Amino acid sequence: MKSLLIVTTIPATLSSFFAPIARHFQANNWRVDGMAQGVSACAECLQVFDRVWDVEWSRNPLEPRNLLVAPRQIREVLIHHHYDLVQVSTPVAAFVTRYALNGFRKGGKPKAIYTAQGFHFYRGGAPLRNAAFLTLEKLAGSWTDYLVVVNREDEEAAKRDRIVPSERVRYIPGTGVKVDRFSRDVVSEAEVARVRRELGLLPETPLFLSVAEFIPRKRPWDILRAFARLNRPQVHLAFAGDGRLLNQMRRLASDLGVQNQVHFLGLRSDIPTLMRASVATLLASQQEGLPNCVMESLYLEVPAIGTEIRGTQDLLEGGCGLLVKVGDIEALAQAMAWVLDRPEDARNMAKRGRDRMREYDLPHILKLYEALYAEAASE
């Protein structure tokens, strides 16, 4: 029996992104364990993984215990429970786990596979910041057997900057969307009507939706300013998400005079229904790896408007969505107007987007991971 340990900083990443991979390989006679901070308190993780291991680290990369405590705990697990492969993801977990593995492995095992959900250096990023994060990636790359990237810009950067040897770079676009949840056939018209009634919308009232955390890199203020510039009192906008900028965005909506058209919904469990109730989804980020909210929108055949950045561009280019430059308020408002004024063209665009999603389907992703794991485990 082959064995795999999947390590992320927090358990939500394990349950949200890597559960389908774990279940698939368990069904193929693999032992799949999970490791994260507080994972033993995650009910879904306990159901999915054969065993789980807690580790003491922080999402703050400057926290001393990340390098003083966590590596010892990781090595203790590896001493008593042998793995063929260790797959790491998310910044702290990826760096610290590979650091713990460095110099520890015997006979070339376990192999270290790093899934980069989006490098912290990127086109358009601040030069000093980019240089610092590239240096860290190259350092940790020396402890890495295979590097998985989820977008084409990162694939190009990984090979250009020799983070690992080019033959050890694998392009695998994400971890697969849960199509049993994000499908037009799953969301009923009755559910759509219910959520629109909850928001106080008439059947003919257009609704735009943004699904994102209220943090600076998501730039929610751009969406609010573009919505105000749209200047269509009959149109509404909803935000699904939470974060430290939430109250500031509430005040901005009031300052812009659109507070009666904007709905701050907080964290929601009915994202597919909200998307189906909308004329389009919006994402104004300055940095992404491969945004799930855009993929989910396309799976549901709901038009998506995003910024010209890695990941989002991979998904929407070629007429599969509308792309605007980061921070271009006028272009974002024009894109919203285009969706409202050209509904038939918007529907056709959304269908092209759904066709694009075939290469992101979970069965395709699993085949790519099967090939990678087979190669890594056989060495």
PDB file of all heavy atoms in Angstrom, residues 223-259:
ATOM      1  N   ILE A 223     -14.864  47.485  -6.939  1.00  0.00           N
ATOM      2  CA  ILE A 223     -16.195  47.026  -7.329  1.00  0.00           C
ATOM      3  C   ILE A 223     -17.241  48.042  -6.907  1.00  0.00           C
ATOM      4  O   ILE A 223     -18.148  48.388  -7.679  1.00  0.00           O
ATOM      5  CB  ILE A 223     -16.472  45.640  -6.724  1.00  0.00           C
ATOM      6  CG1 ILE A 223     -15.543  44.595  -7.348  1.00  0.00           C
ATOM      7  CG2 ILE A 223     -17.932  45.250  -6.900  1.00  0.00           C
ATOM      8  CD1 ILE A 223     -15.658  43.214  -6.744  1.00  0.00           C
ATOM      9  N   LEU A 224     -17.132  48.554  -5.689  1.00  0.00           N
ATOM     10  CA  LEU A 224     -18.104  49.540  -5.218  1.00  0.00           C
ATOM     11  C   LEU A 224     -18.041  50.816  -6.050  1.00  0.00           C
ATOM     12  O   LEU A 224     -19.078  51.383  -6.424  1.00  0.00           O
ATOM     13  CB  LEU A 224     -17.852  49.858  -3.744  1.00  0.00           C
ATOM     14  CG  LEU A 224     -18.444  48.888  -2.734  1.00  0.00           C
ATOM     15  CD1 LEU A 224     -17.948  49.198  -1.327  1.00  0.00           C
ATOM     16  CD2 LEU A 224     -19.973  48.938  -2.774  1.00  0.00           C
ATOM     17  N   ARG A 225     -16.858  51.291  -6.347  1.00  0.00           N
ATOM     18  CA  ARG A 225     -16.728  52.533  -7.125  1.00  0.00           C
ATOM     19  C   ARG A 225     -17.239  52.343  -8.558  1.00  0.00           C
ATOM     20  O   ARG A 225     -17.881  53.222  -9.124  1.00  0.00           O
ATOM     21  CB  ARG A 225     -15.274  52.999  -7.118  1.00  0.00           C
ATOM     22  CG  ARG A 225     -14.777  53.435  -5.733  1.00  0.00           C
ATOM     23  CD  ARG A 225     -13.392  54.054  -5.799  1.00  0.00           C
ATOM     24  NE  ARG A 225     -12.881  54.314  -4.457  1.00  0.00           N
ATOM     25  CZ  ARG A 225     -13.237  55.359  -3.714  1.00  0.00           C
ATOM     26  NH1 ARG A 225     -14.100  56.248  -4.181  1.00  0.00           N
ATOM     27  NH2 ARG A 225     -12.718  55.526  -2.494  1.00  0.00           N
ATOM     28  N   ALA A 226     -16.962  51.182  -9.130  1.00  0.00           N
ATOM     29  CA  ALA A 226     -17.466  50.906 -10.478  1.00  0.00           C
ATOM     30  C   ALA A 226     -18.988  50.791 -10.473  1.00  0.00           C
ATOM     31  O   ALA A 226     -19.669  51.282 -11.390  1.00  0.00           O
ATOM     32  CB  ALA A 226     -16.833  49.627 -11.017  1.00  0.00           C
ATOM     33  N   PHE A 227     -19.522  50.165  -9.443  1.00  0.00           N
ATOM     34  CA  PHE A 227     -20.979  50.027  -9.336  1.00  0.00           C
ATOM     35  C   PHE A 227     -21.640  51.400  -9.202  1.00  0.00           C
ATOM     36  O   PHE A 227     -22.679  51.660  -9.835  1.00  0.00           O
ATOM     37  CB  PHE A 227     -21.328  49.150  -8.142  1.00  0.00           C
ATOM     38  CG  PHE A 227     -22.797  48.907  -7.972  1.00  0.00           C
ATOM     39  CD1 PHE A 227     -23.486  48.086  -8.847  1.00  0.00           C
ATOM     40  CD2 PHE A 227     -23.502  49.520  -6.943  1.00  0.00           C
ATOM     41  CE1 PHE A 227     -24.855  47.865  -8.700  1.00  0.00           C
ATOM     42  CE2 PHE A 227     -24.863  49.309  -6.788  1.00  0.00           C
ATOM     43  CZ  PHE A 227     -25.542  48.480  -7.669  1.00  0.00           C
ATOM     44  N   ALA A 228     -21.044  52.281  -8.403  1.00  0.00           N
ATOM     45  CA  ALA A 228     -21.584  53.640  -8.278  1.00  0.00           C
ATOM     46  C   ALA A 228     -21.499  54.383  -9.609  1.00  0.00           C
ATOM     47  O   ALA A 228     -22.425  55.108  -9.997  1.00  0.00           O
ATOM     48  CB  ALA A 228     -20.829  54.404  -7.192  1.00  0.00           C
ATOM     49  N   ARG A 229     -20.404  54.190 -10.344  1.00  0.00           N
ATOM     50  CA  ARG A 229     -20.239  54.852 -11.639  1.00  0.00           C
ATOM     51  C   ARG A 229     -21.242  54.310 -12.653  1.00  0.00           C
ATOM     52  O   ARG A 229     -21.666  55.026 -13.570  1.00  0.00           O
ATOM     53  CB  ARG A 229     -18.817  54.674 -12.142  1.00  0.00           C
ATOM     54  CG  ARG A 229     -18.522  55.428 -13.428  1.00  0.00           C
ATOM     55  CD  ARG A 229     -17.044  55.509 -13.729  1.00  0.00           C
ATOM     56  NE  ARG A 229     -16.317  56.259 -12.700  1.00  0.00           N
ATOM     57  CZ  ARG A 229     -15.048  56.639 -12.818  1.00  0.00           C
ATOM     58  NH1 ARG A 229     -14.374  56.340 -13.918  1.00  0.00           N
ATOM     59  NH2 ARG A 229     -14.454  57.294 -11.849  1.00  0.00           N
ATOM     60  N   LEU A 230     -21.624  53.045 -12.515  1.00  0.00           N
ATOM     61  CA  LEU A 230     -22.635  52.469 -13.408  1.00  0.00           C
ATOM     62  C   LEU A 230     -23.917  53.305 -13.383  1.00  0.00           C
ATOM     63  O   LEU A 230     -24.575  53.480 -14.402  1.00  0.00           O
ATOM     64  CB  LEU A 230     -22.907  51.025 -12.983  1.00  0.00           C
ATOM     65  CG  LEU A 230     -23.892  50.209 -13.804  1.00  0.00           C
ATOM     66  CD1 LEU A 230     -23.373  49.964 -15.212  1.00  0.00           C
ATOM     67  CD2 LEU A 230     -24.180  48.881 -13.099  1.00  0.00           C
ATOM     68  N   ASN A 231     -24.282  53.766 -12.180  1.00  0.00           N
ATOM     69  CA  ASN A 231     -25.391  54.713 -12.002  1.00  0.00           C
ATOM     70  C   ASN A 231     -26.704  54.178 -12.579  1.00  0.00           C
ATOM     71  O   ASN A 231     -27.373  54.831 -13.388  1.00  0.00           O
ATOM     72  CB  ASN A 231     -25.043  56.067 -12.632  1.00  0.00           C
ATOM     73  CG  ASN A 231     -26.012  57.165 -12.202  1.00  0.00           C
ATOM     74  OD1 ASN A 231     -26.610  57.074 -11.119  1.00  0.00           O
ATOM     75  ND2 ASN A 231     -26.181  58.177 -13.027  1.00  0.00           N
ATOM     76  N   ARG A 232     -27.070  52.977 -12.135  1.00  0.00           N
ATOM     77  CA  ARG A 232     -28.344  52.390 -12.540  1.00  0.00           C
ATOM     78  C   ARG A 232     -29.096  51.996 -11.265  1.00  0.00           C
ATOM     79  O   ARG A 232     -28.840  50.929 -10.690  1.00  0.00           O
ATOM     80  CB  ARG A 232     -28.137  51.197 -13.462  1.00  0.00           C
ATOM     81  CG  ARG A 232     -27.368  51.549 -14.735  1.00  0.00           C
ATOM     82  CD  ARG A 232     -27.630  50.571 -15.837  1.00  0.00           C
ATOM     83  NE  ARG A 232     -26.772  50.830 -16.989  1.00  0.00           N
ATOM     84  CZ  ARG A 232     -26.865  50.199 -18.152  1.00  0.00           C
ATOM     85  NH1 ARG A 232     -27.800  49.269 -18.326  1.00  0.00           N
ATOM     86  NH2 ARG A 232     -26.048  50.485 -19.151  1.00  0.00           N
ATOM     87  N   PRO A 233     -30.004  52.845 -10.824  1.00  0.00           N
ATOM     88  CA  PRO A 233     -30.673  52.635  -9.528  1.00  0.00           C
ATOM     89  C   PRO A 233     -31.440  51.326  -9.421  1.00  0.00           C
ATOM     90  O   PRO A 233     -31.693  50.844  -8.307  1.00  0.00           O
ATOM     91  CB  PRO A 233     -31.622  53.844  -9.433  1.00  0.00           C
ATOM     92  CG  PRO A 233     -31.023  54.871 -10.332  1.00  0.00           C
ATOM     93  CD  PRO A 233     -30.407  54.110 -11.459  1.00  0.00           C
ATOM     94  N   GLN A 234     -31.826  50.747 -10.568  1.00  0.00           N
ATOM     95  CA  GLN A 234     -32.610  49.514 -10.522  1.00  0.00           C
ATOM     96  C   GLN A 234     -31.732  48.272 -10.329  1.00  0.00           C
ATOM     97  O   GLN A 234     -32.247  47.169 -10.110  1.00  0.00           O
ATOM     98  CB  GLN A 234     -33.436  49.372 -11.810  1.00  0.00           C
ATOM     99  CG  GLN A 234     -32.659  48.902 -13.030  1.00  0.00           C
ATOM    100  CD  GLN A 234     -31.867  50.000 -13.731  1.00  0.00           C
ATOM    101  OE1 GLN A 234     -31.685  51.093 -13.175  1.00  0.00           O
ATOM    102  NE2 GLN A 234     -31.408  49.723 -14.941  1.00  0.00           N
ATOM    103  N   VAL A 235     -30.414  48.418 -10.406  1.00  0.00           N
ATOM    104  CA  VAL A 235     -29.479  47.291 -10.318  1.00  0.00           C
ATOM    105  C   VAL A 235     -28.966  47.157  -8.886  1.00  0.00           C
ATOM    106  O   VAL A 235     -28.759  48.163  -8.197  1.00  0.00           O
ATOM    107  CB  VAL A 235     -28.302  47.483 -11.292  1.00  0.00           C
ATOM    108  CG1 VAL A 235     -27.316  46.327 -11.195  1.00  0.00           C
ATOM    109  CG2 VAL A 235     -28.813  47.630 -12.727  1.00  0.00           C
ATOM    110  N   HIS A 236     -28.753  45.916  -8.441  1.00  0.00           N
ATOM    111  CA  HIS A 236     -28.237  45.669  -7.089  1.00  0.00           C
ATOM    112  C   HIS A 236     -26.902  44.920  -7.157  1.00  0.00           C
ATOM    113  O   HIS A 236     -26.568  44.289  -8.163  1.00  0.00           O
ATOM    114  CB  HIS A 236     -29.250  44.879  -6.265  1.00  0.00           C
ATOM    115  CG  HIS A 236     -30.370  45.732  -5.747  1.00  0.00           C
ATOM    116  ND1 HIS A 236     -30.658  45.865  -4.409  1.00  0.00           N
ATOM    117  CD2 HIS A 236     -31.277  46.510  -6.403  1.00  0.00           C
ATOM    118  CE1 HIS A 236     -31.692  46.679  -4.255  1.00  0.00           C
ATOM    119  NE2 HIS A 236     -32.095  47.072  -5.453  1.00  0.00           N
ATOM    120  N   LEU A 237     -26.184  44.990  -6.048  1.00  0.00           N
ATOM    121  CA  LEU A 237     -24.870  44.355  -5.904  1.00  0.00           C
ATOM    122  C   LEU A 237     -24.820  43.655  -4.557  1.00  0.00           C
ATOM    123  O   LEU A 237     -25.231  44.222  -3.537  1.00  0.00           O
ATOM    124  CB  LEU A 237     -23.768  45.413  -5.987  1.00  0.00           C
ATOM    125  CG  LEU A 237     -22.349  45.006  -5.566  1.00  0.00           C
ATOM    126  CD1 LEU A 237     -21.779  43.967  -6.523  1.00  0.00           C
ATOM    127  CD2 LEU A 237     -21.441  46.238  -5.502  1.00  0.00           C
ATOM    128  N   ALA A 238     -24.322  42.420  -4.537  1.00  0.00           N
ATOM    129  CA  ALA A 238     -24.177  41.671  -3.282  1.00  0.00           C
ATOM    130  C   ALA A 238     -22.735  41.229  -3.107  1.00  0.00           C
ATOM    131  O   ALA A 238     -22.065  40.858  -4.075  1.00  0.00           O
ATOM    132  CB  ALA A 238     -25.106  40.459  -3.279  1.00  0.00           C
ATOM    133  N   PHE A 239     -22.271  41.279  -1.861  1.00  0.00           N
ATOM    134  CA  PHE A 239     -20.955  40.764  -1.483  1.00  0.00           C
ATOM    135  C   PHE A 239     -21.164  39.568  -0.558  1.00  0.00           C
ATOM    136  O   PHE A 239     -21.826  39.689   0.477  1.00  0.00           O
ATOM    137  CB  PHE A 239     -20.133  41.821  -0.743  1.00  0.00           C
ATOM    138  CG  PHE A 239     -19.625  42.946  -1.599  1.00  0.00           C
ATOM    139  CD1 PHE A 239     -20.345  44.118  -1.710  1.00  0.00           C
ATOM    140  CD2 PHE A 239     -18.422  42.831  -2.287  1.00  0.00           C
ATOM    141  CE1 PHE A 239     -19.879  45.167  -2.484  1.00  0.00           C
ATOM    142  CE2 PHE A 239     -17.948  43.867  -3.066  1.00  0.00           C
ATOM    143  CZ  PHE A 239     -18.678  45.048  -3.169  1.00  0.00           C
ATOM    144  N   ALA A 240     -20.597  38.435  -0.904  1.00  0.00           N
ATOM    145  CA  ALA A 240     -20.608  37.261  -0.032  1.00  0.00           C
ATOM    146  C   ALA A 240     -19.197  37.046   0.484  1.00  0.00           C
ATOM    147  O   ALA A 240     -18.292  36.718  -0.293  1.00  0.00           O
ATOM    148  CB  ALA A 240     -21.100  36.032  -0.778  1.00  0.00           C
ATOM    149  N   GLY A 241     -18.978  37.263   1.759  1.00  0.00           N
ATOM    150  CA  GLY A 241     -17.647  37.123   2.330  1.00  0.00           C
ATOM    151  C   GLY A 241     -17.495  37.971   3.579  1.00  0.00           C
ATOM    152  O   GLY A 241     -18.359  38.791   3.906  1.00  0.00           O
ATOM    153  N   ASP A 242     -16.394  37.767   4.251  1.00  0.00           N
ATOM    154  CA  ASP A 242     -16.092  38.491   5.480  1.00  0.00           C
ATOM    155  C   ASP A 242     -14.645  38.939   5.413  1.00  0.00           C
ATOM    156  O   ASP A 242     -13.905  38.554   4.508  1.00  0.00           O
ATOM    157  CB  ASP A 242     -16.326  37.587   6.692  1.00  0.00           C
ATOM    158  CG  ASP A 242     -16.548  38.369   7.970  1.00  0.00           C
ATOM    159  OD1 ASP A 242     -16.399  39.609   7.944  1.00  0.00           O
ATOM    160  OD2 ASP A 242     -16.861  37.741   9.003  1.00  0.00           O
ATOM    161  N   GLY A 243     -14.225  39.743   6.374  1.00  0.00           N
ATOM    162  CA  GLY A 243     -12.845  40.186   6.391  1.00  0.00           C
ATOM    163  C   GLY A 243     -12.695  41.540   7.037  1.00  0.00           C
ATOM    164  O   GLY A 243     -13.679  42.230   7.329  1.00  0.00           O
ATOM    165  N   ARG A 244     -11.455  41.955   7.238  1.00  0.00           N
ATOM    166  CA  ARG A 244     -11.185  43.146   8.036  1.00  0.00           C
ATOM    167  C   ARG A 244     -11.580  44.443   7.355  1.00  0.00           C
ATOM    168  O   ARG A 244     -11.658  45.485   8.006  1.00  0.00           O
ATOM    169  CB  ARG A 244      -9.703  43.194   8.417  1.00  0.00           C
ATOM    170  CG  ARG A 244      -8.706  43.168   7.262  1.00  0.00           C
ATOM    171  CD  ARG A 244      -7.296  42.972   7.790  1.00  0.00           C
ATOM    172  NE  ARG A 244      -6.294  42.825   6.755  1.00  0.00           N
ATOM    173  CZ  ARG A 244      -5.597  43.816   6.235  1.00  0.00           C
ATOM    174  NH1 ARG A 244      -5.811  45.054   6.656  1.00  0.00           N
ATOM    175  NH2 ARG A 244      -4.683  43.589   5.312  1.00  0.00           N
ATOM    176  N   LEU A 245     -11.845  44.420   6.051  1.00  0.00           N
ATOM    177  CA  LEU A 245     -12.254  45.635   5.352  1.00  0.00           C
ATOM    178  C   LEU A 245     -13.772  45.782   5.268  1.00  0.00           C
ATOM    179  O   LEU A 245     -14.270  46.742   4.663  1.00  0.00           O
ATOM    180  CB  LEU A 245     -11.680  45.653   3.931  1.00  0.00           C
ATOM    181  CG  LEU A 245     -10.158  45.706   3.786  1.00  0.00           C
ATOM    182  CD1 LEU A 245      -9.784  45.700   2.306  1.00  0.00           C
ATOM    183  CD2 LEU A 245      -9.584  46.938   4.465  1.00  0.00           C
ATOM    184  N   LEU A 246     -14.518  44.875   5.863  1.00  0.00           N
ATOM    185  CA  LEU A 246     -15.972  44.867   5.689  1.00  0.00           C
ATOM    186  C   LEU A 246     -16.610  46.181   6.137  1.00  0.00           C
ATOM    187  O   LEU A 246     -17.375  46.799   5.383  1.00  0.00           O
ATOM    188  CB  LEU A 246     -16.585  43.689   6.447  1.00  0.00           C
ATOM    189  CG  LEU A 246     -18.113  43.608   6.459  1.00  0.00           C
ATOM    190  CD1 LEU A 246     -18.671  43.600   5.041  1.00  0.00           C
ATOM    191  CD2 LEU A 246     -18.576  42.379   7.231  1.00  0.00           C
ATOM    192  N   ASN A 247     -16.332  46.617   7.351  1.00  0.00           N
ATOM    193  CA  ASN A 247     -16.958  47.846   7.845  1.00  0.00           C
ATOM    194  C   ASN A 247     -16.536  49.060   7.023  1.00  0.00           C
ATOM    195  O   ASN A 247     -17.329  49.968   6.782  1.00  0.00           O
ATOM    196  CB  ASN A 247     -16.625  48.054   9.321  1.00  0.00           C
ATOM    197  CG  ASN A 247     -17.325  47.055  10.213  1.00  0.00           C
ATOM    198  OD1 ASN A 247     -18.388  46.538   9.862  1.00  0.00           O
ATOM    199  ND2 ASN A 247     -16.737  46.755  11.361  1.00  0.00           N
ATOM    200  N   GLN A 248     -15.293  49.066   6.583  1.00  0.00           N
ATOM    201  CA  GLN A 248     -14.816  50.156   5.738  1.00  0.00           C
ATOM    202  C   GLN A 248     -15.580  50.190   4.421  1.00  0.00           C
ATOM    203  O   GLN A 248     -15.920  51.268   3.899  1.00  0.00           O
ATOM    204  CB  GLN A 248     -13.317  49.979   5.479  1.00  0.00           C
ATOM    205  CG  GLN A 248     -12.672  51.091   4.677  1.00  0.00           C
ATOM    206  CD  GLN A 248     -11.188  50.848   4.465  1.00  0.00           C
ATOM    207  OE1 GLN A 248     -10.531  50.159   5.240  1.00  0.00           O
ATOM    208  NE2 GLN A 248     -10.655  51.416   3.399  1.00  0.00           N
ATOM    209  N   MET A 249     -15.899  49.016   3.870  1.00  0.00           N
ATOM    210  CA  MET A 249     -16.650  48.965   2.624  1.00  0.00           C
ATOM    211  C   MET A 249     -18.110  49.363   2.826  1.00  0.00           C
ATOM    212  O   MET A 249     -18.729  49.958   1.933  1.00  0.00           O
ATOM    213  CB  MET A 249     -16.568  47.562   2.000  1.00  0.00           C
ATOM    214  CG  MET A 249     -15.164  47.188   1.509  1.00  0.00           C
ATOM    215  SD  MET A 249     -14.461  48.359   0.302  1.00  0.00           S
ATOM    216  CE  MET A 249     -13.343  49.321   1.352  1.00  0.00           C
ATOM    217  N   ARG A 250     -18.653  49.065   3.977  1.00  0.00           N
ATOM    218  CA  ARG A 250     -20.008  49.542   4.292  1.00  0.00           C
ATOM    219  C   ARG A 250     -20.045  51.064   4.268  1.00  0.00           C
ATOM    220  O   ARG A 250     -20.968  51.676   3.716  1.00  0.00           O
ATOM    221  CB  ARG A 250     -20.451  49.030   5.656  1.00  0.00           C
ATOM    222  CG  ARG A 250     -20.743  47.534   5.749  1.00  0.00           C
ATOM    223  CD  ARG A 250     -21.232  47.208   7.150  1.00  0.00           C
ATOM    224  NE  ARG A 250     -21.359  45.792   7.404  1.00  0.00           N
ATOM    225  CZ  ARG A 250     -22.438  45.066   7.108  1.00  0.00           C
ATOM    226  NH1 ARG A 250     -23.486  45.661   6.540  1.00  0.00           N
ATOM    227  NH2 ARG A 250     -22.484  43.772   7.375  1.00  0.00           N
ATOM    228  N   ARG A 251     -19.035  51.678   4.873  1.00  0.00           N
ATOM    229  CA  ARG A 251     -18.982  53.140   4.907  1.00  0.00           C
ATOM    230  C   ARG A 251     -18.790  53.702   3.504  1.00  0.00           C
ATOM    231  O   ARG A 251     -19.394  54.725   3.143  1.00  0.00           O
ATOM    232  CB  ARG A 251     -17.859  53.605   5.832  1.00  0.00           C
ATOM    233  CG  ARG A 251     -18.118  53.325   7.312  1.00  0.00           C
ATOM    234  CD  ARG A 251     -17.129  54.067   8.194  1.00  0.00           C
ATOM    235  NE  ARG A 251     -15.762  53.600   8.000  1.00  0.00           N
ATOM    236  CZ  ARG A 251     -15.216  52.604   8.688  1.00  0.00           C
ATOM    237  NH1 ARG A 251     -15.917  51.970   9.625  1.00  0.00           N
ATOM    238  NH2 ARG A 251     -13.958  52.243   8.471  1.00  0.00           N
ATOM    239  N   LEU A 252     -17.965  53.035   2.703  1.00  0.00           N
ATOM    240  CA  LEU A 252     -17.744  53.509   1.341  1.00  0.00           C
ATOM    241  C   LEU A 252     -19.035  53.449   0.531  1.00  0.00           C
ATOM    242  O   LEU A 252     -19.336  54.376  -0.242  1.00  0.00           O
ATOM    243  CB  LEU A 252     -16.647  52.682   0.663  1.00  0.00           C
ATOM    244  CG  LEU A 252     -16.331  53.054  -0.793  1.00  0.00           C
ATOM    245  CD1 LEU A 252     -15.888  54.506  -0.912  1.00  0.00           C
ATOM    246  CD2 LEU A 252     -15.254  52.124  -1.354  1.00  0.00           C
ATOM    247  N   ALA A 253     -19.806  52.380   0.680  1.00  0.00           N
ATOM    248  CA  ALA A 253     -21.082  52.278  -0.042  1.00  0.00           C
ATOM    249  C   ALA A 253     -21.996  53.431   0.332  1.00  0.00           C
ATOM    250  O   ALA A 253     -22.671  54.020  -0.535  1.00  0.00           O
ATOM    251  CB  ALA A 253     -21.748  50.944   0.270  1.00  0.00           C
ATOM    252  N   SER A 254     -22.005  53.787   1.610  1.00  0.00           N
ATOM    253  CA  SER A 254     -22.815  54.921   2.056  1.00  0.00           C
ATOM    254  C   SER A 254     -22.292  56.234   1.479  1.00  0.00           C
ATOM    255  O   SER A 254     -23.065  57.072   0.999  1.00  0.00           O
ATOM    256  CB  SER A 254     -22.832  54.969   3.585  1.00  0.00           C
ATOM    257  OG  SER A 254     -23.621  56.044   4.044  1.00  0.00           O
ATOM    258  N   ASP A 255     -20.976  56.404   1.506  1.00  0.00           N
ATOM    259  CA  ASP A 255     -20.378  57.632   0.962  1.00  0.00           C
ATOM    260  C   ASP A 255     -20.673  57.785  -0.533  1.00  0.00           C
ATOM    261  O   ASP A 255     -20.829  58.910  -1.028  1.00  0.00           O
ATOM    262  CB  ASP A 255     -18.864  57.630   1.182  1.00  0.00           C
ATOM    263  CG  ASP A 255     -18.485  57.747   2.657  1.00  0.00           C
ATOM    264  OD1 ASP A 255     -19.348  58.151   3.466  1.00  0.00           O
ATOM    265  OD2 ASP A 255     -17.331  57.408   2.991  1.00  0.00           O
ATOM    266  N   LEU A 256     -20.731  56.660  -1.244  1.00  0.00           N
ATOM    267  CA  LEU A 256     -20.990  56.691  -2.679  1.00  0.00           C
ATOM    268  C   LEU A 256     -22.477  56.806  -3.003  1.00  0.00           C
ATOM    269  O   LEU A 256     -22.855  56.953  -4.173  1.00  0.00           O
ATOM    270  CB  LEU A 256     -20.423  55.432  -3.344  1.00  0.00           C
ATOM    271  CG  LEU A 256     -18.894  55.287  -3.338  1.00  0.00           C
ATOM    272  CD1 LEU A 256     -18.488  53.894  -3.784  1.00  0.00           C
ATOM    273  CD2 LEU A 256     -18.243  56.331  -4.242  1.00  0.00           C
ATOM    274  N   GLY A 257     -23.331  56.703  -1.977  1.00  0.00           N
ATOM    275  CA  GLY A 257     -24.761  56.840  -2.177  1.00  0.00           C
ATOM    276  C   GLY A 257     -25.441  55.617  -2.748  1.00  0.00           C
ATOM    277  O   GLY A 257     -26.553  55.720  -3.290  1.00  0.00           O
ATOM    278  N   VAL A 258     -24.819  54.450  -2.627  1.00  0.00           N
ATOM    279  CA  VAL A 258     -25.414  53.223  -3.190  1.00  0.00           C
ATOM    280  C   VAL A 258     -25.772  52.214  -2.101  1.00  0.00           C
ATOM    281  O   VAL A 258     -26.027  51.050  -2.393  1.00  0.00           O
ATOM    282  CB  VAL A 258     -24.458  52.568  -4.219  1.00  0.00           C
ATOM    283  CG1 VAL A 258     -24.275  53.459  -5.424  1.00  0.00           C
ATOM    284  CG2 VAL A 258     -23.113  52.234  -3.577  1.00  0.00           C
ATOM    285  N   GLN A 259     -25.810  52.667  -0.848  1.00  0.00           N
ATOM    286  CA  GLN A 259     -26.021  51.731   0.259  1.00  0.00           C
ATOM    287  C   GLN A 259     -27.351  50.983   0.149  1.00  0.00           C
ATOM    288  O   GLN A 259     -27.467  49.847   0.623  1.00  0.00           O
ATOM    289  CB  GLN A 259     -25.931  52.459   1.608  1.00  0.00           C
ATOM    290  CG  GLN A 259     -27.048  53.443   1.910  1.00  0.00           C
ATOM    291  CD  GLN A 259     -26.808  54.819   1.320  1.00  0.00           C
ATOM    292  OE1 GLN A 259     -25.938  54.995   0.461  1.00  0.00           O
ATOM    293  NE2 GLN A 259     -27.570  55.792   1.782  1.00  0.00           N
TER     294      GLN A 259
END
